[in-house]
Amino acid sequence: MNLDISHIFIITGLVVQVGLVIFWFTTVRKKLQEASLKKALDILEEKEKTLSLIYENTNDFIALLKKEGDQLTIIRLPETFIQSIEQHTRFLEKEVLGKPIYFLYDKVLELTQEERAFRFDKINTLFETKATVKYEEQFKAPDGHRGLSQSSLIPILKDNEIEYVLYVAQDITEERSTNLQLEYAVDVLERVYESNLAAIVLFKDGKIEKVNKRFTSYFGYEQEEIIGETAEKFIPEKYWHLLNGVRKDLYEKGEELHFGREREIVTKRKDGSLFYCECVISPLLIQGVKYSFMFIIDVSDYYNAQKELLASREQLQSIIDNLPGMLFRLGTDEEFTLQHISGNSEKYLGITQEDIEKYNIKGRDVLSDEFIQYSRSVIKETFEKQEPGEMKLPIEYKGTSKWVSIRFKPTQLSNGEYVIDGLLFDVTNQVENEERLSLAIESAREGLWDWNIEDGKLVFNNYQAEMLGYDVAEMSNDVQEFFKNIHPQDIEDAQSKLSAHLKEETDFYETEYRIKTKNGVYKWLLVHGKVISRMRDGKALRLIGTHVDIDERKKAEIAVRKSQERLLTLMSNIPGMVYRGSYEDNYALSFVSNGSMQLTGYSPEDFVKGKRTIFELIKDSDKEKINKEVQSAVSEKRAYQLVYEINSPAGSKWVYDKGQEVGNGYLEGFLTDITDRVHAEERIIQTIIETEDRERSRIAKELHDSLGQKLTTVSLNFNALKSKVDKGSDVEDRLMIGLEYLKQAIGETREISHNLMPKSIEDFGVILSIESLIADLNEYSETAFSFYHNIKDNALSNNIGIHLYRIVQESINNILKHAKAKTVTVQLMAYEDIIVLSAEDDGKGFNIGSNNKSQSFGLDSIRHRAQLLSGDAIIDSSAGHGTTITVEIPTKKHYFHEEN
C-alpha cells in the first residue's frame, strides 16, 4: 500500500535531517582539526536535538541503522520502543543499541526463522540496488503484539555507497481491517444489487451510470446499450412531462417519489412492448454530484388479474341482468318477506323497485286469498320433501295483472335460517295463449296438425313444415313416421300422455318434446291437442293440435335451471364447521363458517375477531399429540385426520377434524361433531368388556365349583386306596404317580380359575390385588419389584380393574421371561382426565423392530386391552437400556365406584 502525502513529507524531512547530521559529523571532524573542540560539540548537540524532535513527533516507527560491512548496526530506536523492550524483555537500551540488527530480530523479538529470512532478504535487496525498498510485513512488538506494517528501507549514500539506512514502518493493521470490511460490504451490496427482484437503475447527473441484471431481463437492453442514456430511453413519451417534474423536484424535496400505486404506469421494452410497473426514485447527493436510484417492479400480472376479475364480475352481472327471468329470495315468515331481487322487477312483476322498497310489498299485496293459500301449501310441501318446487300465480298491482311462473328451492343458510331462492318468469302471454287455444283449437296460431286416427294420416299447415325445415309437400303424412322423429328420451312420455288423453283421462293432450328437423338437429316443441271427434263408446276418431317452437326458450330455461342449481348448491349450508388458520401463529383463525356456533358454542367472530382458537378448546392431554400429527402432516404434504375431545360452553364434545396445509403455513379443513358416534363406540366397548368379564367369571366359577371339586373327590378316593394296595408293589407306584399328576391338575385348575377372574379383585379391588401379586413375586423371584399408586383402595370398579390387573400380569410375565432385570417399578396413577399404568425395568431391553414372536404376543395383548378401554399402549425400549411399558386410558365416570 502506498504511503499518503503526510507520511511522504515526514520521511523526506527525516532523510534530509539525517543527511545534515552526517554532514555535520564530517564538518565536526574538520572543525576539531581547525577549531576548538567545544564549538564542534555544541554544533553536534544542536543537530542531535533536531533528530530527537523528529523521533518524538511522529507516530511512525523510525530507526537509524549503520552499514558496517554486510551487516546493519542499530544506532537509534524510537523512545517508546526502547521503553517497551525494557518493560517486556530482559534487555536494556544499552544492550540493544550498537548491536547488529539480527540481534534485535533473534534475541529481543524472537522472530521465527521465516520472519528473519524475509527481513534479511529485503536488506540484501537494499544492498544490491542501493535504492529505497518498500514492502509490507508482519511485525512483532516487544510485548508480543503482532500486526501489519508498511515498511521502507531508505539508504543514505556517501560516495555512492550506503553509509546509513533509515528504517521507517507504519502500522496499517486497523486500516487493512477497515478496507477488508469495506470490500466485504461493497461485495454484499453488489450481490444485493444484482440479485434484487426489482430492476435497479443508477443515474448520475440524469444519465444512466449502471443497471442490474433484472433491468436487462425486464427491458432487453444490455449494459453497453443503455449506459449513458437518459430515462427517456425506456419511459414512454406520454410520461416525459412527469419525468421532467421528477428531475426538478427530486433534489429540492430530498424525498423518495413513488409511481404506479395510485394510477397505472407503463414502461417500454427494447422491442417497443409495454408493461405495467411500480417504481420508486430515491435522490442521492455525493460531493455535489447528483445521483439517483430508480427501482422498477413489473406488476403486469397484478393489473391483468384485476382487469380479469372486473371483467368476470361484469360478465356475471350481465348474465344475471339478461336472464329471461328475475332471481329472488324470500323469507319464510308468514308474509314471505322479499329479501332480495336481481332487478327488472317492473318488467317481470309490473312493480317498480322503488315501490317495493318504499311500501315493503309482500305476497298479500299482489295475490288473492285463494292463491296465497295455494302458494303456502306448495311451499310447505317442498319444505317437507326438500325438493325444488314450481307454480304459476296471477298477480295484480295498481290495476296491472300478470301471470308469473316461479321455480324455487328451500335453502338453509349457514346460520340455520331457511329462505326460498328461486327464479321468476313472466308467463302472462303463455297463459293467455293457452286460454285462447282451449277456446279455439281450430285457429292455429303456430304449427297446426290434424290427425285422422282411423287411417293414421297427419295433415300439417305450412308453418308446421317450415318450423321443421321442410316444404309442406315434403312432410310425410304417416303418424308412425312422425313419432320416429321424436327424441328417444321424450317418446315414452309423449306416447303416455297421448294415450291418457285418447282414453279421456285428460281434457287436453299437452306435452313438450324434441323432434328431429330436416337437417338432423332436434328442436323443442310445445304440444297442445284435443280430441274433437269420438265414437259413442268414447273411441277417439280425430285429434287436432298445435306445435309451438319453444327451442330457444327451452334452452334458456335449461341454462337458467342449471345456473340456478349451481347457485343454490353454492349457497347451501355445509354441515359442521369450515376453518382456515395459521399453524405457525399458534393456530390463529382467519376464517370460520357459521357452523361454529352449533358445534362449539362460539360464533365466527369469537374465533376471528376474538382471537379464540380451536386449539384452546382441546383437552390439555391431547394437545401435544395433535400438534405433532399436524406438523407431521404438513412436513409430509398430506392431509391430517384427527379425532379429539373439545370443551365447549355446552359441554364436552368429540369431533372429527380433517384438513391440509394449503401454502404459506395456512391450514384449511372442517370439523364434524361425532360425539354420538364416540359414545356409541364406548358403549359397545363397555358392553364387550362387561360381557368378557362375565364370561371369564362364569368359566372360572365352573372350573372351581365343578371341575375343581370333581378332581378333589377323585383325589380323596385315590388316597383311600393307598392303604389297600401292597407296599412296594407296581400298583402302588402307579397309584402314587397318578395322585401326583392329579394334585398338579387340581393346582393348575385353581390357578387357571384365579387367572380368569382373581377372587381378590372381587373381594378387595385391583390395588390390593396388585400389591398381593408384587408381594408374592418378591418372595420367590430374584428381581426386586415395587409398586406405587395414588388411588384409594377399592376405588376402581372391577370392570376396569381386571384389565389393569391383566396388563400388569402380562407386563411382569414378559419381564420375567425376557428382561433379566434386577429391579422393576410398577405405577398406577389416576388423574382428572387420564389413568396411567406403567411398568419399568432395568433389564437387557430389545429393539422395537425385532421379530420376537413370544414377546410380541404379550405386547400385542397389552395393546389390545388398552384399545378396549379407548386407550393407548406405548412401548419404549432399546437393547441394553431396559424397557418401559406405558398405558394411558381416558378417565370415565363408570371406571370408579360412585363414592369415589
Side-chain angles (χ1 to χ4, degrees):
M1 184 180 291
N2 296 329
L3 299 174
D4 59 32
I5 191 67
S6 61
H7 292 101
I8 293 173
F9 284 140
I10 292 171
I11 293 169
T12 303
L14 288 173
V15 172
V16 173
Q17 292 296 332
V18 171
L20 289 174
V21 170
I22 295 171
F23 172 77
W24 279 105
F25 271 114
T26 305
T27 304
V28 166
R29 283 197 293 269
K30 291 181 179 180
K31 288 187 177 183
L32 285 174
Q33 298 172 357
E34 300 174 358
S36 67
L37 179 61
K38 182 178 183 303
K39 186 174 181 181
L41 292 173
D42 290 340
I43 294 170
L44 179 62
E45 182 179 0
E46 180 181 351
K47 298 306 175 183
E48 286 180 343
K49 287 180 180 179
T50 301
L51 187 60
S52 296
L53 287 172
I54 293 173
Y55 273 89
E56 293 170 1
N57 289 279
T58 180
N59 291 326
D60 294 341
F61 182 98
I62 303 174
L64 180 63
L65 309 172
K66 183 176 181 181
K67 184 176 185 301
E68 294 181 349
D70 58 351
Q71 296 288 338
L72 290 177
T73 303
I74 302 171
I75 302 300
R76 184 73 181 267
L77 295 172
E79 188 65 26
T80 56
F81 189 78
I82 293 294
Q83 293 174 1
S84 181
I85 289 175
E86 293 181 344
Q87 181 178 357
H88 298 288
T89 72
R90 67 180 186 276
F91 299 99
L92 300 175
E93 179 179 5
K94 63 183 180 179
E95 296 174 318
V96 177
L97 297 181
K99 292 288 193 301
I101 191 68
Y102 70 81
F103 178 85
L104 177 66
Y105 293 160
D106 187 29
K107 303 297 182 182
V108 179
L109 299 179
E110 298 181 350
L111 299 180
T112 65
Q113 183 178 353
E114 183 179 355
E115 290 172 332
R116 294 198 302 271
F118 174 82
R119 285 162 174 75
F120 286 127
D121 179 68
K122 299 302 179 184
I123 291 173
N124 290 334
T125 301
L126 174 70
F127 288 169
E128 291 172 4
T129 62
K130 298 179 184 180
T132 299
V133 178
K134 296 181 179 181
Y135 56 95
E136 288 184 4
E137 64 178 353
Q138 294 285 341
F139 70 80
K140 180 181 179 184
D143 60 356
H145 169 71
R146 288 182 177 274
L148 183 68
S149 67
Q150 176 72 51
S151 303
S152 298
L153 290 172
I154 305 172
I156 301 175
L157 304 177
K158 180 181 180 183
D159 298 330
N160 201 34
E161 293 293 329
I162 298 174
E163 185 173 10
Y164 291 91
V165 176
L166 198 62
Y167 172 77
V168 181
Q170 179 189 7
D171 187 349
I172 61 172
T173 305
E174 183 175 348
E175 178 184 348
R176 178 57 55 84
S177 175
T178 301
N179 287 341
L180 289 174
Q181 293 178 6
L182 181 59
E183 290 173 4
Y184 175 77
V186 170
D187 182 65
V188 170
L189 289 174
E190 188 69 20
R191 290 173 182 269
V192 172
Y193 179 83
E194 287 299 334
S195 61
N196 203 288
L197 294 177
I200 304 176
V201 186
L202 174 63
F203 292 90
K204 178 182 178 182
D205 290 332
K207 293 188 176 181
I208 299 173
E209 183 78 6
K210 189 176 183 180
V211 297
N212 67 349
K213 293 179 180 178
R214 185 67 63 176
F215 181 91
T216 299
S217 173
Y218 274 3
F219 293 90
Y221 289 104
E222 297 296 333
Q223 289 268 358
E224 57 271 17
E225 294 178 301
I226 200 70
I227 300 302
E229 298 287 345
T230 63
E232 282 83 352
K233 188 75 173 178
F234 57 89
I235 300 295
E237 186 175 355
K238 67 177 181 179
Y239 298 118
W240 286 1
H241 69 284
L242 182 64
L243 190 60
N244 292 330
V246 168
R247 288 168 176 157
K248 180 180 178 181
D249 297 342
L250 188 62
Y251 295 96
E252 291 180 4
K253 296 181 179 179
E255 297 176 351
E256 287 186 350
L257 299 177
H258 296 258
F259 300 93
R261 290 184 179 176
E262 304 298 329
R263 63 174 181 173
E264 296 177 355
I265 296 291
V266 296
T267 49
K268 181 175 63 177
R269 298 186 181 93
K270 180 181 178 180
D271 61 6
S273 61
L274 304 177
F275 66 93
Y276 294 102
C277 70
E278 181 177 340
C279 65
V280 178
I281 305 175
S282 299
L284 185 64
L285 192 64
I286 301 177
Q287 297 181 349
V289 180
K290 293 180 179 180
Y291 290 89
S292 62
F293 282 96
M294 179 181 285
F295 299 83
I296 305 168
I297 294 290
D298 184 353
V299 294
S300 299
D301 291 342
Y302 170 78
Y303 278 109
N304 290 335
Q306 289 289 326
K307 290 182 177 180
E308 290 177 3
L309 179 60
L310 180 61
S312 297
R313 289 177 177 173
E314 291 174 350
Q315 185 178 15
L316 178 60
Q317 188 61 48
S318 176
I319 291 172
I320 293 174
D321 292 341
N322 290 283
L323 282 173
M326 182 186 78
L327 292 170
F328 66 89
R329 169 172 286 179
L330 301 176
T332 53
D333 56 338
E334 188 173 351
E335 299 293 340
F336 299 113
T337 303
L338 182 64
Q339 296 183 359
H340 173 75
I341 57 174
S342 61
N344 297 327
S345 62
E346 187 171 7
K347 176 181 178 181
Y348 293 105
L349 297 175
I351 309 172
T352 64
Q353 184 81 23
E354 181 180 359
D355 280 358
I356 291 174
E357 295 174 356
K358 182 177 180 180
Y359 300 111
N360 191 24
I361 294 176
K362 297 180 172 58
R364 56 180 165 78
D365 298 321
V366 296
L367 292 174
S368 65
D369 292 340
E370 175 188 355
F371 280 98
I372 287 176
Q373 296 301 321
Y374 166 72
S375 61
R376 285 176 178 169
S377 65
V378 172
I379 293 173
K380 181 180 179 181
E381 183 180 356
T382 57
F383 267 95
E384 291 174 351
K385 295 181 178 180
Q386 285 296 300
E387 295 177 351
E390 183 175 1
M391 56 183 170
K392 290 181 181 179
L393 298 172
I395 61 173
E396 183 175 356
Y397 183 74
K398 292 185 176 180
T400 299
S401 299
K402 281 181 174 289
W403 276 89
V404 294
S405 175
I406 301 174
R407 294 174 181 173
F408 61 95
K409 181 181 179 181
T411 303
Q412 185 178 19
L413 303 180
S414 56
N415 61 3
E417 177 188 359
Y418 277 92
V419 295
I420 301 169
D421 291 320
L423 189 62
L424 179 146
F425 300 92
D426 181 357
V427 293
T428 305
N429 292 335
Q430 179 183 336
V431 172
E432 291 175 351
N433 288 337
E434 289 174 354
E435 290 174 352
R436 285 194 294 269
L437 182 60
S438 65
L439 295 174
I441 190 68
E442 296 83 5
S443 301
R445 57 183 178 82
E446 294 290 348
L448 179 64
W449 49 268
D450 186 348
W451 178 26
N452 188 324
I453 300 173
E454 287 187 314
D455 62 12
K457 299 297 183 182
L458 270 173
V459 178
F460 303 96
N461 67 353
N462 290 334
Y463 189 85
Q464 173 70 51
E466 293 173 4
M467 188 189 304
L468 301 180
Y470 296 95
D471 290 329
V472 69
E474 295 176 302
M475 294 287 292
S476 172
N477 292 326
D478 188 350
V479 70
Q480 295 303 323
E481 287 295 322
F482 182 85
F483 282 150
K484 286 179 181 179
N485 288 324
I486 297 177
H487 196 283
Q489 295 179 357
D490 302 333
I491 185 64
E492 183 177 351
D493 179 71
Q495 290 180 336
S496 175
K497 291 180 178 178
L498 176 60
S499 176
H501 180 60
L502 295 177
K503 295 176 183 179
E504 297 185 281
E505 294 174 1
T506 59
D507 294 333
F508 297 96
Y509 169 47
E510 295 179 334
T511 189
E512 294 176 354
Y513 51 64
R514 287 161 288 181
I515 192 164
K516 187 184 295 185
T517 62
K518 184 178 180 179
N519 60 10
V521 177
Y522 284 95
K523 177 179 285 189
W524 278 99
L525 299 180
L526 175 65
V527 185
H528 288 279
K530 184 177 179 62
V531 173
I532 61 170
S533 176
R534 293 181 183 273
M535 296 181 68
R536 291 183 179 180
D537 60 0
K539 181 181 178 181
L541 298 176
R542 187 182 179 192
L543 180 64
I544 294 178
T546 61
H547 279 139
V548 178
D549 184 352
I550 59 168
D551 192 64
E552 293 298 324
R553 192 202 77 187
K554 195 68 177 180
K555 289 177 180 177
E557 287 179 1
I558 293 172
V560 170
R561 186 182 299 112
K562 289 181 178 179
S563 176
Q564 178 187 9
E565 289 172 355
R566 287 194 296 269
L567 183 61
L568 294 176
T569 299
L570 287 174
M571 292 190 296
S572 64
N573 191 28
I574 299 175
M577 167 182 150
V578 179
Y579 65 86
R580 176 184 173 89
S582 171
Y583 75 90
E584 295 179 344
D585 188 20
N586 198 28
Y587 297 94
L589 297 172
S590 58
F591 170 78
V592 176
S593 68
N594 290 326
S596 66
M597 179 62 75
Q598 182 178 1
L599 182 63
T600 68
Y602 296 105
S603 67
E605 289 75 16
D606 292 332
F607 286 103
V608 178
K609 296 182 179 179
K611 301 300 181 183
R612 184 178 294 278
T613 68
I614 300 172
F615 204 70
E616 295 173 2
L617 307 181
I618 301 172
K619 288 194 171 183
D620 292 338
S621 59
D622 292 335
K623 287 182 177 178
E624 183 178 356
K625 179 173 66 176
I626 291 172
N627 192 41
K628 286 182 178 178
E629 172 57 18
V630 172
Q631 289 182 350
S632 174
V634 170
S635 64
E636 296 172 9
K637 300 185 183 304
R638 61 174 174 83
Y640 54 84
Q641 299 185 59
L642 306 169
V643 174
Y644 50 84
E645 195 173 7
I646 62 172
N647 294 314
S648 70
S652 64
K653 291 184 177 181
W654 283 93
V655 297
Y656 169 74
D657 184 350
K658 182 177 182 180
Q660 188 168 3
E661 186 196 21
V662 294
N664 300 323
Y666 279 92
L667 303 174
E668 289 185 355
F670 69 93
L671 293 175
T672 302
D673 187 350
I674 60 169
T675 305
D676 292 340
R677 191 189 79 185
V678 171
H679 288 168
E681 290 175 352
E682 290 178 352
R683 286 193 295 271
I684 291 171
I685 292 171
Q686 182 61 27
T687 301
I688 292 172
I689 293 172
E690 292 175 356
T691 302
E692 184 180 90
D693 288 342
R694 284 196 299 269
E695 188 64 13
R696 287 177 178 274
S697 180
R698 183 188 66 78
I699 295 172
K701 186 174 182 181
E702 287 183 3
L703 285 173
H704 180 271
D705 296 343
S706 179
L707 182 59
Q709 290 184 7
K710 289 178 181 179
L711 289 174
T712 301
T713 302
V714 172
S715 177
L716 291 173
N717 288 320
F718 277 7
N719 277 301
L721 291 174
K722 285 195 298 183
S723 60
K724 296 181 180 183
V725 296
D726 296 334
K727 297 290 184 178
S729 66
D730 182 65
V731 174
E732 183 184 39
D733 291 340
R734 289 178 178 275
L735 179 61
M736 295 307 294
I737 292 172
L739 284 171
E740 181 61 29
Y741 277 113
L742 184 59
K743 181 180 178 181
Q744 292 178 12
I746 292 171
E748 289 178 1
T749 301
R750 289 175 179 171
E751 183 179 355
I752 292 171
S753 175
H754 177 76
N755 287 337
L756 283 171
M757 180 55 69
K759 188 68 174 175
S760 59
I761 292 180
E762 292 184 357
D763 296 338
F764 308 107
V766 68
I767 299 300
L768 290 178
S769 297
I770 295 176
E771 288 177 342
S772 176
L773 176 63
I774 296 297
D776 292 340
L777 289 169
N778 284 327
E779 282 185 9
Y780 68 81
S781 175
E782 294 179 359
T783 304
F785 289 85
S786 56
F787 175 54
Y788 302 94
H789 66 90
N790 65 348
I791 303 172
K792 293 180 181 179
D793 294 341
N794 208 26
L796 290 170
S797 67
N798 291 343
N799 288 339
I800 189 175
I802 186 63
H803 284 280
L804 295 175
Y805 185 85
R806 296 298 184 208
I807 292 172
V808 172
Q809 271 189 323
E810 197 64 60
S811 300
I812 290 174
N813 285 339
N814 267 359
I815 292 169
L816 293 175
K817 288 180 181 179
H818 308 289
K820 296 182 180 180
K822 294 181 179 179
T823 61
V824 177
T825 301
V826 179
Q827 296 188 63
L828 179 57
M829 300 292 175
Y831 303 100
E832 182 177 354
D833 58 350
I834 196 169
I835 298 172
V836 180
L837 172 62
S838 66
E840 182 179 2
D841 69 71
D842 60 356
K844 64 180 182 179
F846 65 98
N847 293 323
I848 299 295
S850 63
N851 188 19
N852 187 330
K853 292 185 178 180
S854 61
Q855 192 168 11
S856 175
F857 179 82
L859 296 178
D860 287 344
S861 176
I862 292 171
R863 292 190 182 97
H864 174 68
R865 288 187 179 276
Q867 290 170 0
L868 284 176
L869 297 170
S870 301
D872 191 17
I874 303 167
I875 315 299
D876 183 17
S877 181
S878 60
H881 295 87
T883 301
T884 300
I885 299 174
T886 305
V887 176
E888 296 179 348
I889 300 168
T891 299
K892 304 295 181 183
K893 185 176 180 181
H894 58 268
Y895 288 167
F896 295 86
H897 294 299
E898 291 185 2
E899 59 271 25
N900 293 294

